[in-house]
């Protein structure tokens, strides 16, 4: 999949995020901490880097 392609549209992503915030405000879903956000971002960045590295570089990592 190209880097420019998205699994869902930007519009759907924003709608989903707003829905999650409403659930958090209503107490139906736990709020995320800032540390959880950083951990998630680091994990996604690591996965993204491995996906675009040449195969030889991945084996060294």
């Amino acid at each position: 999949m190209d880097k420019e392609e998205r699994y869902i549209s930007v519009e759907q992503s924003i709608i989903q995020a707003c829905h999650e915030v409403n659930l958090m405000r209503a107490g139906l879903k736990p709020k995320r901490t800032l540390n959880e956000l950083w951990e998630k971002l680091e994990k996604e960045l690591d996965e993204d880097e491995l996906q675009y590295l040449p195969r030889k570089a991945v084996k060294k990592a």
Side-chain angles (χ1 to χ4, degrees):
M1 180 173 285
D2 291 336
K3 204 173 190 180
E4 299 297 320
E5 291 184 40
R6 294 185 174 271
Y7 292 106
I8 59 174
S9 70
V10 174
E11 179 184 9
Q12 288 299 317
S13 178
I14 292 171
I15 291 170
Q16 183 178 357
C18 291
H19 182 69
E20 280 190 43
V21 169
N22 286 335
L23 290 175
M24 289 177 193
R25 287 181 178 168
L28 301 174
K29 187 171 186 173
K31 294 181 182 180
R32 295 183 191 145
T33 65
L34 187 56
N35 287 335
E36 289 173 336
L37 172 64
W38 292 129
E39 289 172 6
K40 181 179 178 184
L41 288 174
E42 284 178 16
K43 181 181 176 188
E44 288 178 1
L45 286 173
D46 288 342
E47 289 173 358
D48 192 44
E49 286 175 8
L50 290 177
Q51 181 179 359
Y52 293 106
L53 288 175
R55 199 177 257 303
K56 290 181 183 178
V58 172
K59 288 181 180 179
K60 291 180 183 178

